[in-house]
Amino acid sequence: MAKEKSKDFLKEYHKKRDFDRTAEPFGGDRRKSDGRIFVIQKHDASSLHYDFRLEIEGVLKSWAVPKGPTLDPNEKRLAVETEDHPIEYADFEGVIPEDQYGGGTVMVWDAGTYENLKKDDDGKESMSMKEAYENGELTFRLKGKKIKGGFALVKTKMRGKNNWLLIKKKDDEADARRNPVSSQPDSVMSGRSIEEIKKEESGEDED
Ligand code: MN
């Protein structure tokens, strides 16, 4: 029963993929109620982008960030919302066949946990992440290996678009001079570059 429901949660994710062809996780097995993980996956597809994913109520809410995150609070990064991904996707690093949806190489570029920054004066959560998501304005503190500190993710008012903006908050971790996207390009999970993942993970069809 619970599994059926979680599958339904991922309907769009499943519809886009042929799991006989892609090594991406099917999902629906792990479903934490209170998890707070995030992952940023560097995705060398038809155009290179960074997939930013936040665990909210058992799924990874997902946005494609063409330029990746920035630590500069004066820069706003476009983040285009994509379909929910299963929690298991956070550990996925590998190659999606070229003829499949999202074909290309996926790297776990950064990962960690986060904290909801919607809090009242007593430090109690004043709004759940789900409510904040539905309101189109999330604020959270990332605790990754490369990316740390407060961020806002704000839905733009453009109608019919899934466009959000990812903005660094002004705090101790804000730093316009540091650019982890270029200075720390490799996987936080395996230490590999996109080229190394591509070389080692492609052509692994078991037929
Ligand atoms: Mn992607």
Side-chain angles (χ1 to χ4, degrees):
M1 189 76 173
K3 191 161 182 179
E4 280 308 309
K5 204 176 169 192
S6 64
K7 274 183 193 166
D8 198 51
F9 236 65
L10 296 168
K11 207 151 83 183
E12 205 186 331
Y13 172 83
H14 288 146
K15 219 163 61 187
K16 289 176 186 289
R17 292 168 174 83
D18 176 358
F19 292 93
D20 290 334
R21 299 283 337 273
T22 182
E24 293 166 285
F26 186 78
D29 295 329
R30 259 200 292 160
R31 193 174 157 84
K32 287 186 273 178
S33 56
D34 207 20
R36 289 285 162 95
I37 62 163
F38 86 93
V39 64
I40 302 172
Q41 280 156 321
K42 188 172 173 176
H43 189 183
D44 189 16
S46 49
S47 60
L48 181 77
H49 59 272
Y50 293 76
D51 288 302
F52 178 65
R53 310 189 199 280
L54 276 179
E55 180 180 6
I56 300 178
E57 306 228 334
V59 294
L60 294 174
K61 289 286 172 196
S62 298
W63 292 263
V65 184
K67 292 184 174 175
T70 176
L71 300 177
D72 183 352
N74 295 313
E75 265 196 63
K76 296 176 170 70
R77 290 284 158 95
L78 174 67
V80 183
E81 192 178 7
T82 58
E83 78 279 14
D84 294 348
H85 280 50
I87 301 299
E88 293 91 328
Y89 208 92
D91 301 323
F92 177 69
E93 189 168 90
V95 175
I96 302 167
E98 285 304 330
D99 61 346
Q100 294 297 298
Y101 177 74
T105 307
V106 178
M107 169 202 285
V108 178
W109 182 77
D110 198 14
T113 58
Y114 75 87
E115 181 192 339
N116 182 3
L117 288 182
K118 296 255 187 235
K119 288 181 176 171
D120 59 26
D121 293 341
D122 303 328
K124 262 183 62 187
E125 218 170 85
S126 58
M127 192 187 278
S128 73
M129 286 295 284
K130 185 163 186 273
E131 281 175 280
Y133 166 79
E134 281 159 4
N135 286 342
E137 194 194 324
L138 297 155
T139 56
F140 46 84
R141 173 181 300 283
L142 298 179
K143 298 167 201 167
K145 295 219 166 76
K146 297 171 184 173
I147 301 292
K148 296 181 207 296
F151 282 83
L153 193 51
V154 185
K155 193 167 189 179
T156 66
K157 299 261 155 59
M158 291 161 71
R159 284 180 63 158
K161 298 265 183 187
N162 295 321
N163 293 348
W164 297 57
L165 294 170
L166 180 63
I167 309 158
K168 180 77 194 76
K169 284 189 168 290
K170 290 181 177 142
D171 57 19
D172 288 349
E173 287 89 2
D175 188 347
R177 291 158 307 175
R178 227 160 60 74
N179 180 10
V181 163
S182 56
S183 65
Q184 295 169 278
D186 298 336
S187 169
V188 81
M189 194 165 87
S190 66
R192 295 180 295 181
S193 66
I194 282 282
E195 291 70 28
E196 286 167 329
I197 295 166
K198 192 173 178 180
K199 212 170 133 192
E200 289 167 21
E201 307 285 344
S202 51
E204 279 194 345
D205 276 344
E206 284 155 53
D207 56 19

